[in-house]
mmCIF file of all heavy atoms in Angstrom:
data_model
loop_
_atom_site.group_PDB
_atom_site.id
_atom_site.type_symbol
_atom_site.label_atom_id
_atom_site.label_comp_id
_atom_site.label_asym_id
_atom_site.label_seq_id
_atom_site.Cartn_x
_atom_site.Cartn_y
_atom_site.Cartn_z
ATOM 1 N N MET A 1 0.803 -1.172 0.003
ATOM 2 C CA MET A 1 -0.007 -0.011 0.027
ATOM 3 C C MET A 1 0.846 1.281 -0.004
ATOM 4 O O MET A 1 0.597 2.166 -0.739
ATOM 5 C CB MET A 1 -0.876 0.022 1.236
ATOM 6 C CG MET A 1 -2.033 -0.984 1.202
ATOM 7 S SD MET A 1 -3.140 -0.921 -0.197
ATOM 8 C CE MET A 1 -2.761 -2.455 -0.952
ATOM 9 N N LEU A 2 1.878 1.233 0.817
ATOM 10 C CA LEU A 2 2.708 2.423 0.949
ATOM 11 C C LEU A 2 3.456 2.733 -0.346
ATOM 12 O O LEU A 2 3.593 3.911 -0.709
ATOM 13 C CB LEU A 2 3.683 2.288 2.136
ATOM 14 C CG LEU A 2 2.982 2.176 3.506
ATOM 15 C CD1 LEU A 2 4.053 1.915 4.596
ATOM 16 C CD2 LEU A 2 2.179 3.407 3.793
ATOM 17 N N ALA A 3 4.005 1.714 -0.981
ATOM 18 C CA ALA A 3 4.736 1.933 -2.252
ATOM 19 C C ALA A 3 3.824 2.435 -3.327
ATOM 20 O O ALA A 3 4.157 3.366 -4.045
ATOM 21 C CB ALA A 3 5.432 0.633 -2.695
ATOM 22 N N ALA A 4 2.647 1.812 -3.460
ATOM 23 C CA ALA A 4 1.670 2.263 -4.456
ATOM 24 C C ALA A 4 1.233 3.701 -4.177
ATOM 25 O O ALA A 4 1.105 4.507 -5.099
ATOM 26 C CB ALA A 4 0.482 1.325 -4.460
ATOM 27 N N HIS A 5 1.028 3.993 -2.920
ATOM 28 C CA HIS A 5 0.594 5.359 -2.544
ATOM 29 C C HIS A 5 1.716 6.369 -2.882
ATOM 30 O O HIS A 5 1.410 7.459 -3.384
ATOM 31 C CB HIS A 5 0.303 5.382 -1.023
ATOM 32 C CG HIS A 5 -0.165 6.734 -0.533
ATOM 33 N ND1 HIS A 5 -1.404 7.223 -0.821
ATOM 34 C CD2 HIS A 5 0.489 7.641 0.230
ATOM 35 C CE1 HIS A 5 -1.529 8.421 -0.267
ATOM 36 N NE2 HIS A 5 -0.375 8.687 0.378
ATOM 37 N N ALA A 6 2.922 6.020 -2.629
ATOM 38 C CA ALA A 6 4.076 6.896 -2.852
ATOM 39 C C ALA A 6 4.175 7.356 -4.341
ATOM 40 O O ALA A 6 4.623 8.433 -4.605
ATOM 41 C CB ALA A 6 5.364 6.296 -2.377
ATOM 42 N N VAL A 7 3.816 6.428 -5.222
ATOM 43 C CA VAL A 7 3.969 6.736 -6.689
ATOM 44 C C VAL A 7 2.618 7.066 -7.364
ATOM 45 O O VAL A 7 2.540 7.244 -8.563
ATOM 46 C CB VAL A 7 4.666 5.613 -7.424
ATOM 47 C CG1 VAL A 7 6.068 5.391 -6.905
ATOM 48 C CG2 VAL A 7 3.884 4.312 -7.400
ATOM 49 N N GLY A 8 1.562 7.153 -6.547
ATOM 50 C CA GLY A 8 0.239 7.518 -7.085
ATOM 51 C C GLY A 8 -0.447 6.377 -7.868
ATOM 52 O O GLY A 8 -1.272 6.644 -8.701
ATOM 53 N N ALA A 9 -0.058 5.130 -7.603
ATOM 54 C CA ALA A 9 -0.684 4.004 -8.281
ATOM 55 C C ALA A 9 -1.973 3.591 -7.613
ATOM 56 O O ALA A 9 -2.224 3.929 -6.452
ATOM 57 C CB ALA A 9 0.273 2.807 -8.239
ATOM 58 N N ILE A 10 -2.799 2.863 -8.311
ATOM 59 C CA ILE A 10 -4.033 2.294 -7.774
ATOM 60 C C ILE A 10 -3.609 1.275 -6.755
ATOM 61 O O ILE A 10 -2.704 0.431 -6.992
ATOM 62 C CB ILE A 10 -4.869 1.646 -8.874
ATOM 63 C CG1 ILE A 10 -5.371 2.708 -9.832
ATOM 64 C CG2 ILE A 10 -6.082 0.909 -8.251
ATOM 65 C CD1 ILE A 10 -6.060 2.153 -11.092
ATOM 66 N N LYS A 11 -4.295 1.276 -5.571
ATOM 67 C CA LYS A 11 -3.913 0.378 -4.489
ATOM 68 C C LYS A 11 -5.014 -0.686 -4.340
ATOM 69 O O LYS A 11 -6.132 -0.404 -4.005
ATOM 70 C CB LYS A 11 -3.785 1.176 -3.188
ATOM 71 C CG LYS A 11 -2.693 2.231 -3.283
ATOM 72 C CD LYS A 11 -2.666 3.138 -2.084
ATOM 73 C CE LYS A 11 -3.847 4.056 -1.918
ATOM 74 N NZ LYS A 11 -4.078 5.033 -2.963
ATOM 75 N N ILE A 12 -4.593 -1.929 -4.600
ATOM 76 C CA ILE A 12 -5.535 -3.083 -4.419
ATOM 77 C C ILE A 12 -4.898 -4.051 -3.459
ATOM 78 O O ILE A 12 -3.768 -4.507 -3.647
ATOM 79 C CB ILE A 12 -5.776 -3.763 -5.788
ATOM 80 C CG1 ILE A 12 -6.383 -2.789 -6.787
ATOM 81 C CG2 ILE A 12 -6.651 -5.017 -5.570
ATOM 82 C CD1 ILE A 12 -6.565 -3.393 -8.163
ATOM 83 N N LEU A 13 -5.658 -4.390 -2.459
ATOM 84 C CA LEU A 13 -5.213 -5.400 -1.494
ATOM 85 C C LEU A 13 -5.915 -6.718 -1.842
ATOM 86 O O LEU A 13 -7.183 -6.703 -1.938
ATOM 87 C CB LEU A 13 -5.550 -5.004 -0.078
ATOM 88 C CG LEU A 13 -5.081 -5.998 0.979
ATOM 89 C CD1 LEU A 13 -4.304 -5.229 2.051
ATOM 90 C CD2 LEU A 13 -6.263 -6.751 1.562
ATOM 91 N N VAL A 14 -5.228 -7.737 -2.084
ATOM 92 C CA VAL A 14 -5.791 -9.058 -2.405
ATOM 93 C C VAL A 14 -5.725 -9.874 -1.092
ATOM 94 O O VAL A 14 -4.679 -10.004 -0.507
ATOM 95 C CB VAL A 14 -5.003 -9.749 -3.518
ATOM 96 C CG1 VAL A 14 -5.607 -11.127 -3.823
ATOM 97 C CG2 VAL A 14 -5.038 -8.911 -4.789
ATOM 98 N N LYS A 15 -6.901 -10.369 -0.670
ATOM 99 C CA LYS A 15 -6.994 -11.018 0.622
ATOM 100 C C LYS A 15 -6.374 -12.407 0.718
ATOM 101 O O LYS A 15 -6.302 -12.951 1.820
ATOM 102 C CB LYS A 15 -8.469 -11.044 1.055
ATOM 103 C CG LYS A 15 -9.008 -9.635 1.378
ATOM 104 C CD LYS A 15 -10.496 -9.611 1.563
ATOM 105 C CE LYS A 15 -11.026 -10.348 2.753
ATOM 106 N NZ LYS A 15 -12.442 -10.204 2.962
ATOM 107 N N THR A 16 -5.919 -12.968 -0.368
ATOM 108 C CA THR A 16 -5.250 -14.277 -0.289
ATOM 109 C C THR A 16 -3.803 -14.066 0.110
ATOM 110 O O THR A 16 -3.271 -12.948 -0.030
ATOM 111 C CB THR A 16 -5.362 -15.058 -1.609
ATOM 112 O OG1 THR A 16 -4.819 -14.211 -2.659
ATOM 113 C CG2 THR A 16 -6.813 -15.399 -1.930
ATOM 114 N N GLY A 17 -3.114 -15.088 0.523
ATOM 115 C CA GLY A 17 -1.727 -14.960 0.935
ATOM 116 C C GLY A 17 -1.576 -14.003 2.155
ATOM 117 O O GLY A 17 -2.314 -14.144 3.099
ATOM 118 N N TRP A 18 -0.646 -13.103 2.055
ATOM 119 C CA TRP A 18 -0.371 -12.169 3.152
ATOM 120 C C TRP A 18 -1.428 -11.057 3.272
ATOM 121 O O TRP A 18 -1.473 -10.331 4.256
ATOM 122 C CB TRP A 18 0.961 -11.493 2.970
ATOM 123 C CG TRP A 18 2.122 -12.428 3.236
ATOM 124 C CD1 TRP A 18 2.804 -13.138 2.285
ATOM 125 C CD2 TRP A 18 2.698 -12.737 4.494
ATOM 126 N NE1 TRP A 18 3.761 -13.881 2.865
ATOM 127 C CE2 TRP A 18 3.730 -13.667 4.242
ATOM 128 C CE3 TRP A 18 2.418 -12.370 5.773
ATOM 129 C CZ2 TRP A 18 4.523 -14.206 5.240
ATOM 130 C CZ3 TRP A 18 3.206 -12.936 6.785
ATOM 131 C CH2 TRP A 18 4.228 -13.798 6.537
ATOM 132 N N GLY A 19 -2.264 -10.874 2.258
ATOM 133 C CA GLY A 19 -3.258 -9.800 2.219
ATOM 134 C C GLY A 19 -4.210 -9.776 3.408
ATOM 135 O O GLY A 19 -4.412 -8.729 3.987
ATOM 136 N N GLU A 20 -4.758 -10.899 3.739
ATOM 137 C CA GLU A 20 -5.734 -10.982 4.886
ATOM 138 C C GLU A 20 -5.057 -10.545 6.167
ATOM 139 O O GLU A 20 -5.636 -9.759 6.896
ATOM 140 C CB GLU A 20 -6.320 -12.354 4.984
ATOM 141 C CG GLU A 20 -7.407 -12.473 6.060
ATOM 142 C CD GLU A 20 -8.734 -11.921 5.565
ATOM 143 O OE1 GLU A 20 -9.033 -12.011 4.377
ATOM 144 O OE2 GLU A 20 -9.465 -11.408 6.404
ATOM 145 N N SER A 21 -3.913 -11.072 6.437
ATOM 146 C CA SER A 21 -3.222 -10.724 7.712
ATOM 147 C C SER A 21 -2.778 -9.239 7.691
ATOM 148 O O SER A 21 -2.828 -8.576 8.730
ATOM 149 C CB SER A 21 -2.042 -11.633 7.972
ATOM 150 O OG SER A 21 -1.012 -11.487 7.035
ATOM 151 N N SER A 22 -2.386 -8.752 6.547
ATOM 152 C CA SER A 22 -2.028 -7.324 6.436
ATOM 153 C C SER A 22 -3.206 -6.471 6.733
ATOM 154 O O SER A 22 -3.121 -5.411 7.391
ATOM 155 C CB SER A 22 -1.510 -7.003 5.020
ATOM 156 O OG SER A 22 -0.277 -7.632 4.807
ATOM 157 N N LEU A 23 -4.374 -6.846 6.206
ATOM 158 C CA LEU A 23 -5.580 -6.086 6.408
ATOM 159 C C LEU A 23 -5.933 -6.055 7.909
ATOM 160 O O LEU A 23 -6.336 -5.003 8.442
ATOM 161 C CB LEU A 23 -6.739 -6.731 5.637
ATOM 162 C CG LEU A 23 -8.107 -6.035 5.677
ATOM 163 C CD1 LEU A 23 -8.009 -4.647 5.161
ATOM 164 C CD2 LEU A 23 -9.101 -6.858 4.897
ATOM 165 N N LEU A 24 -5.774 -7.117 8.612
ATOM 166 C CA LEU A 24 -6.179 -7.201 9.995
ATOM 167 C C LEU A 24 -5.077 -6.721 10.964
ATOM 168 O O LEU A 24 -5.346 -6.017 11.938
ATOM 169 C CB LEU A 24 -6.590 -8.644 10.371
ATOM 170 C CG LEU A 24 -7.759 -9.172 9.549
ATOM 171 C CD1 LEU A 24 -7.966 -10.638 9.842
ATOM 172 C CD2 LEU A 24 -9.025 -8.404 9.774
ATOM 173 N N LYS A 25 -3.846 -7.158 10.732
ATOM 174 C CA LYS A 25 -2.763 -6.915 11.694
ATOM 175 C C LYS A 25 -1.966 -5.636 11.512
ATOM 176 O O LYS A 25 -1.569 -5.002 12.415
ATOM 177 C CB LYS A 25 -1.856 -8.143 11.672
ATOM 178 C CG LYS A 25 -0.812 -8.142 12.762
ATOM 179 C CD LYS A 25 -0.028 -9.418 12.763
ATOM 180 C CE LYS A 25 0.980 -9.472 13.866
ATOM 181 N NZ LYS A 25 1.744 -10.712 13.879
ATOM 182 N N TYR A 26 -1.751 -5.274 10.247
ATOM 183 C CA TYR A 26 -0.856 -4.137 9.929
ATOM 184 C C TYR A 26 -1.519 -2.898 9.350
ATOM 185 O O TYR A 26 -0.877 -1.964 8.996
ATOM 186 C CB TYR A 26 0.240 -4.612 8.988
ATOM 187 C CG TYR A 26 1.067 -5.762 9.508
ATOM 188 C CD1 TYR A 26 0.960 -7.024 9.021
ATOM 189 C CD2 TYR A 26 1.927 -5.540 10.613
ATOM 190 C CE1 TYR A 26 1.654 -8.075 9.549
ATOM 191 C CE2 TYR A 26 2.653 -6.582 11.179
ATOM 192 C CZ TYR A 26 2.525 -7.872 10.617
ATOM 193 O OH TYR A 26 3.250 -8.867 11.144
ATOM 194 N N ARG A 27 -2.845 -2.938 9.242
ATOM 195 C CA ARG A 27 -3.518 -1.802 8.634
ATOM 196 C C ARG A 27 -3.216 -0.447 9.234
ATOM 197 O O ARG A 27 -3.142 0.554 8.529
ATOM 198 C CB ARG A 27 -5.025 -2.058 8.622
ATOM 199 C CG ARG A 27 -5.774 -1.145 7.709
ATOM 200 C CD ARG A 27 -7.211 -1.555 7.563
ATOM 201 N NE ARG A 27 -7.814 -0.856 6.467
ATOM 202 C CZ ARG A 27 -9.016 -1.196 5.946
ATOM 203 N NH1 ARG A 27 -9.667 -2.208 6.444
ATOM 204 N NH2 ARG A 27 -9.530 -0.523 4.962
ATOM 205 N N HIS A 28 -2.984 -0.446 10.510
ATOM 206 C CA HIS A 28 -2.660 0.805 11.206
ATOM 207 C C HIS A 28 -1.372 1.457 10.654
ATOM 208 O O HIS A 28 -1.190 2.671 10.720
ATOM 209 C CB HIS A 28 -2.536 0.582 12.739
ATOM 210 C CG HIS A 28 -1.355 -0.282 13.096
ATOM 211 N ND1 HIS A 28 -1.397 -1.636 13.000
ATOM 212 C CD2 HIS A 28 -0.146 0.075 13.548
ATOM 213 C CE1 HIS A 28 -0.203 -2.114 13.383
ATOM 214 N NE2 HIS A 28 0.584 -1.101 13.709
ATOM 215 N N ASN A 29 -0.530 0.659 10.061
ATOM 216 C CA ASN A 29 0.773 1.188 9.506
ATOM 217 C C ASN A 29 0.502 1.926 8.181
ATOM 218 O O ASN A 29 1.381 2.709 7.783
ATOM 219 C CB ASN A 29 1.745 0.050 9.228
ATOM 220 C CG ASN A 29 2.269 -0.542 10.518
ATOM 221 O OD1 ASN A 29 2.399 0.162 11.536
ATOM 222 N ND2 ASN A 29 2.563 -1.801 10.473
ATOM 223 N N TRP A 30 -0.586 1.724 7.521
ATOM 224 C CA TRP A 30 -0.809 2.408 6.268
ATOM 225 C C TRP A 30 -2.191 3.066 6.219
ATOM 226 O O TRP A 30 -2.876 3.075 5.207
ATOM 227 C CB TRP A 30 -0.639 1.471 5.038
ATOM 228 C CG TRP A 30 -1.047 0.019 5.194
ATOM 229 C CD1 TRP A 30 -0.274 -0.966 5.664
ATOM 230 C CD2 TRP A 30 -2.282 -0.573 4.860
ATOM 231 N NE1 TRP A 30 -0.983 -2.176 5.618
ATOM 232 C CE2 TRP A 30 -2.216 -1.930 5.135
ATOM 233 C CE3 TRP A 30 -3.505 -0.033 4.324
ATOM 234 C CZ2 TRP A 30 -3.285 -2.774 4.922
ATOM 235 C CZ3 TRP A 30 -4.538 -0.915 4.105
ATOM 236 C CH2 TRP A 30 -4.414 -2.280 4.376
ATOM 237 N N LYS A 31 -2.542 3.725 7.328
ATOM 238 C CA LYS A 31 -3.822 4.429 7.398
ATOM 239 C C LYS A 31 -4.013 5.433 6.310
ATOM 240 O O LYS A 31 -5.084 5.649 5.808
ATOM 241 C CB LYS A 31 -4.004 5.113 8.763
ATOM 242 C CG LYS A 31 -4.427 4.177 9.864
ATOM 243 C CD LYS A 31 -4.634 4.962 11.155
ATOM 244 C CE LYS A 31 -5.002 4.061 12.272
ATOM 245 N NZ LYS A 31 -5.148 4.729 13.524
ATOM 246 N N LYS A 32 -2.927 6.185 6.026
ATOM 247 C CA LYS A 32 -3.002 7.240 4.996
ATOM 248 C C LYS A 32 -2.919 6.723 3.581
ATOM 249 O O LYS A 32 -2.978 7.460 2.627
ATOM 250 C CB LYS A 32 -1.955 8.266 5.268
ATOM 251 C CG LYS A 32 -2.128 9.024 6.548
ATOM 252 C CD LYS A 32 -1.118 10.064 6.760
ATOM 253 C CE LYS A 32 -1.376 10.763 8.113
ATOM 254 N NZ LYS A 32 -0.400 11.786 8.393
ATOM 255 N N ALA A 33 -2.763 5.428 3.415
ATOM 256 C CA ALA A 33 -2.652 4.792 2.132
ATOM 257 C C ALA A 33 -3.674 3.670 1.996
ATOM 258 O O ALA A 33 -3.365 2.554 1.664
ATOM 259 C CB ALA A 33 -1.237 4.219 1.951
ATOM 260 N N GLU A 34 -4.940 4.002 2.275
ATOM 261 C CA GLU A 34 -6.042 3.020 2.214
ATOM 262 C C GLU A 34 -6.137 2.431 0.777
ATOM 263 O O GLU A 34 -5.959 3.137 -0.173
ATOM 264 C CB GLU A 34 -7.325 3.678 2.560
ATOM 265 C CG GLU A 34 -7.465 3.975 4.070
ATOM 266 C CD GLU A 34 -7.563 2.720 4.896
ATOM 267 O OE1 GLU A 34 -8.299 1.764 4.556
ATOM 268 O OE2 GLU A 34 -6.869 2.684 5.941
ATOM 269 N N PRO A 35 -6.430 1.170 0.697
ATOM 270 C CA PRO A 35 -6.585 0.584 -0.648
ATOM 271 C C PRO A 35 -7.796 1.173 -1.391
ATOM 272 O O PRO A 35 -8.788 1.515 -0.783
ATOM 273 C CB PRO A 35 -6.825 -0.922 -0.349
ATOM 274 C CG PRO A 35 -7.039 -1.027 1.077
ATOM 275 C CD PRO A 35 -6.656 0.193 1.752
ATOM 276 N N ASP A 36 -7.624 1.245 -2.739
ATOM 277 C CA ASP A 36 -8.752 1.669 -3.542
ATOM 278 C C ASP A 36 -9.794 0.566 -3.654
ATOM 279 O O ASP A 36 -10.967 0.804 -3.878
ATOM 280 C CB ASP A 36 -8.262 2.070 -4.892
ATOM 281 C CG ASP A 36 -7.320 3.258 -4.857
ATOM 282 O OD1 ASP A 36 -7.794 4.283 -4.385
ATOM 283 O OD2 ASP A 36 -6.174 3.151 -5.283
ATOM 284 N N TYR A 37 -9.295 -0.677 -3.537
ATOM 285 C CA TYR A 37 -10.187 -1.837 -3.647
ATOM 286 C C TYR A 37 -9.591 -2.986 -2.832
ATOM 287 O O TYR A 37 -8.364 -3.163 -2.775
ATOM 288 C CB TYR A 37 -10.330 -2.267 -5.076
ATOM 289 C CG TYR A 37 -11.361 -3.380 -5.274
ATOM 290 C CD1 TYR A 37 -12.706 -3.192 -5.040
ATOM 291 C CD2 TYR A 37 -10.917 -4.641 -5.693
ATOM 292 C CE1 TYR A 37 -13.600 -4.201 -5.198
ATOM 293 C CE2 TYR A 37 -11.812 -5.680 -5.874
ATOM 294 C CZ TYR A 37 -13.188 -5.446 -5.626
ATOM 295 O OH TYR A 37 -14.072 -6.448 -5.779
ATOM 296 N N ILE A 38 -10.426 -3.722 -2.152
ATOM 297 C CA ILE A 38 -10.030 -4.930 -1.416
ATOM 298 C C ILE A 38 -10.655 -6.099 -2.154
ATOM 299 O O ILE A 38 -11.869 -6.262 -2.192
ATOM 300 C CB ILE A 38 -10.440 -4.909 0.056
ATOM 301 C CG1 ILE A 38 -9.775 -3.692 0.747
ATOM 302 C CG2 ILE A 38 -10.079 -6.219 0.730
ATOM 303 C CD1 ILE A 38 -10.216 -3.502 2.163
ATOM 304 N N ALA A 39 -9.787 -6.945 -2.782
ATOM 305 C CA ALA A 39 -10.256 -8.042 -3.604
ATOM 306 C C ALA A 39 -10.193 -9.357 -2.832
ATOM 307 O O ALA A 39 -9.293 -9.549 -2.027
ATOM 308 C CB ALA A 39 -9.385 -8.149 -4.827
ATOM 309 N N GLU A 40 -11.162 -10.212 -3.096
ATOM 310 C CA GLU A 40 -11.155 -11.539 -2.453
ATOM 311 C C GLU A 40 -10.022 -12.432 -2.951
ATOM 312 O O GLU A 40 -9.447 -13.199 -2.236
ATOM 313 C CB GLU A 40 -12.492 -12.248 -2.695
ATOM 314 C CG GLU A 40 -13.665 -11.596 -1.981
ATOM 315 C CD GLU A 40 -13.508 -11.648 -0.449
ATOM 316 O OE1 GLU A 40 -13.075 -12.678 0.081
ATOM 317 O OE2 GLU A 40 -13.858 -10.668 0.191
ATOM 318 N N ASN A 41 -9.697 -12.292 -4.242
ATOM 319 C CA ASN A 41 -8.631 -13.085 -4.869
ATOM 320 C C ASN A 41 -8.136 -12.356 -6.094
ATOM 321 O O ASN A 41 -8.644 -11.289 -6.446
ATOM 322 C CB ASN A 41 -9.141 -14.492 -5.213
ATOM 323 C CG ASN A 41 -10.422 -14.447 -6.077
ATOM 324 O OD1 ASN A 41 -10.461 -13.742 -7.051
ATOM 325 N ND2 ASN A 41 -11.401 -15.195 -5.675
ATOM 326 N N ILE A 42 -7.162 -12.923 -6.764
ATOM 327 C CA ILE A 42 -6.510 -12.214 -7.928
ATOM 328 C C ILE A 42 -7.535 -12.035 -9.075
ATOM 329 O O ILE A 42 -7.515 -11.021 -9.753
ATOM 330 C CB ILE A 42 -5.231 -12.940 -8.394
ATOM 331 C CG1 ILE A 42 -4.448 -12.070 -9.353
ATOM 332 C CG2 ILE A 42 -5.544 -14.280 -9.007
ATOM 333 C CD1 ILE A 42 -3.815 -10.860 -8.707
ATOM 334 N N ASN A 43 -8.441 -12.990 -9.279
ATOM 335 C CA ASN A 43 -9.424 -12.882 -10.320
ATOM 336 C C ASN A 43 -10.342 -11.696 -10.027
ATOM 337 O O ASN A 43 -10.712 -10.955 -10.938
ATOM 338 C CB ASN A 43 -10.239 -14.140 -10.481
ATOM 339 C CG ASN A 43 -9.425 -15.282 -11.130
ATOM 340 O OD1 ASN A 43 -8.528 -15.022 -11.903
ATOM 341 N ND2 ASN A 43 -9.752 -16.488 -10.739
ATOM 342 N N ASP A 44 -10.716 -11.523 -8.807
ATOM 343 C CA ASP A 44 -11.567 -10.407 -8.368
ATOM 344 C C ASP A 44 -10.876 -9.107 -8.660
ATOM 345 O O ASP A 44 -11.462 -8.136 -9.149
ATOM 346 C CB ASP A 44 -11.931 -10.522 -6.921
ATOM 347 C CG ASP A 44 -12.874 -9.493 -6.422
ATOM 348 O OD1 ASP A 44 -13.659 -8.921 -7.182
ATOM 349 O OD2 ASP A 44 -12.865 -9.217 -5.175
ATOM 350 N N ALA A 45 -9.595 -9.040 -8.359
ATOM 351 C CA ALA A 45 -8.794 -7.824 -8.576
ATOM 352 C C ALA A 45 -8.713 -7.499 -10.060
ATOM 353 O O ALA A 45 -8.865 -6.338 -10.472
ATOM 354 C CB ALA A 45 -7.357 -7.998 -8.001
ATOM 355 N N VAL A 46 -8.436 -8.490 -10.879
ATOM 356 C CA VAL A 46 -8.416 -8.281 -12.348
ATOM 357 C C VAL A 46 -9.701 -7.754 -12.907
ATOM 358 O O VAL A 46 -9.731 -6.821 -13.665
ATOM 359 C CB VAL A 46 -7.929 -9.570 -13.061
ATOM 360 C CG1 VAL A 46 -8.093 -9.425 -14.551
ATOM 361 C CG2 VAL A 46 -6.479 -9.925 -12.729
ATOM 362 N N LYS A 47 -10.816 -8.397 -12.462
ATOM 363 C CA LYS A 47 -12.162 -7.964 -12.905
ATOM 364 C C LYS A 47 -12.356 -6.499 -12.504
ATOM 365 O O LYS A 47 -12.908 -5.711 -13.310
ATOM 366 C CB LYS A 47 -13.227 -8.856 -12.347
ATOM 367 C CG LYS A 47 -13.268 -10.248 -12.970
ATOM 368 C CD LYS A 47 -14.308 -11.080 -12.264
ATOM 369 C CE LYS A 47 -14.242 -12.514 -12.785
ATOM 370 N NZ LYS A 47 -15.195 -13.375 -12.092
ATOM 371 N N TRP A 48 -12.004 -6.138 -11.286
ATOM 372 C CA TRP A 48 -12.201 -4.747 -10.829
ATOM 373 C C TRP A 48 -11.417 -3.773 -11.695
ATOM 374 O O TRP A 48 -11.902 -2.704 -12.094
ATOM 375 C CB TRP A 48 -11.815 -4.636 -9.360
ATOM 376 C CG TRP A 48 -12.118 -3.291 -8.829
ATOM 377 C CD1 TRP A 48 -13.299 -2.826 -8.297
ATOM 378 C CD2 TRP A 48 -11.229 -2.154 -8.710
ATOM 379 N NE1 TRP A 48 -13.205 -1.522 -7.943
ATOM 380 C CE2 TRP A 48 -11.889 -1.076 -8.162
ATOM 381 C CE3 TRP A 48 -9.867 -2.010 -9.054
ATOM 382 C CZ2 TRP A 48 -11.315 0.134 -7.925
ATOM 383 C CZ3 TRP A 48 -9.289 -0.760 -8.818
ATOM 384 C CH2 TRP A 48 -10.002 0.294 -8.240
ATOM 385 N N ILE A 49 -10.172 -4.123 -11.996
ATOM 386 C CA ILE A 49 -9.313 -3.255 -12.804
ATOM 387 C C ILE A 49 -9.930 -3.089 -14.174
ATOM 388 O O ILE A 49 -10.022 -1.964 -14.686
ATOM 389 C CB ILE A 49 -7.868 -3.843 -12.918
ATOM 390 C CG1 ILE A 49 -7.144 -3.717 -11.588
ATOM 391 C CG2 ILE A 49 -7.075 -3.119 -14.006
ATOM 392 C CD1 ILE A 49 -5.903 -4.546 -11.519
ATOM 393 N N LEU A 50 -10.325 -4.192 -14.817
ATOM 394 C CA LEU A 50 -10.886 -4.135 -16.143
ATOM 395 C C LEU A 50 -12.193 -3.332 -16.178
ATOM 396 O O LEU A 50 -12.419 -2.547 -17.121
ATOM 397 C CB LEU A 50 -11.102 -5.531 -16.719
ATOM 398 C CG LEU A 50 -9.830 -6.331 -16.960
ATOM 399 C CD1 LEU A 50 -10.207 -7.758 -17.378
ATOM 400 C CD2 LEU A 50 -8.981 -5.674 -18.018
ATOM 401 N N ASN A 51 -13.020 -3.506 -15.174
ATOM 402 C CA ASN A 51 -14.304 -2.757 -15.123
ATOM 403 C C ASN A 51 -14.104 -1.305 -14.770
ATOM 404 O O ASN A 51 -14.895 -0.452 -15.203
ATOM 405 C CB ASN A 51 -15.237 -3.421 -14.131
ATOM 406 C CG ASN A 51 -15.778 -4.743 -14.662
ATOM 407 O OD1 ASN A 51 -15.951 -4.921 -15.823
ATOM 408 N ND2 ASN A 51 -16.071 -5.631 -13.773
ATOM 409 N N SER A 52 -13.081 -0.965 -14.034
ATOM 410 C CA SER A 52 -12.863 0.420 -13.645
ATOM 411 C C SER A 52 -12.265 1.247 -14.788
ATOM 412 O O SER A 52 -12.310 2.468 -14.789
ATOM 413 C CB SER A 52 -11.992 0.533 -12.388
ATOM 414 O OG SER A 52 -10.661 0.100 -12.675
ATOM 415 N N ASN A 53 -11.733 0.547 -15.794
ATOM 416 C CA ASN A 53 -11.132 1.263 -16.960
ATOM 417 C C ASN A 53 -12.032 1.317 -18.140
ATOM 418 O O ASN A 53 -11.619 1.699 -19.232
ATOM 419 C CB ASN A 53 -9.777 0.607 -17.309
ATOM 420 C CG ASN A 53 -8.694 0.904 -16.258
ATOM 421 O OD1 ASN A 53 -8.658 1.999 -15.726
ATOM 422 N ND2 ASN A 53 -7.914 -0.075 -15.981
ATOM 423 N N SER A 54 -13.295 0.831 -18.032
ATOM 424 C CA SER A 54 -14.144 0.857 -19.201
ATOM 425 C C SER A 54 -14.983 2.075 -19.290
ATOM 426 O O SER A 54 -15.084 2.902 -18.517
ATOM 427 C CB SER A 54 -15.136 -0.348 -19.178
ATOM 428 O OG SER A 54 -15.226 -1.040 -18.031
#
């Protein structure tokens, strides 16, 4: 989140892998860099990206 925020990129947190624990345990570290979207999985993230650019 912080790296994407620093360069002005779209911020997507994918809840699989480390994403779920980051959302719950470390979210306080990136309060000012909230995700633009929280995806259930990579397919959900891809669909959101494709739909947001149409």
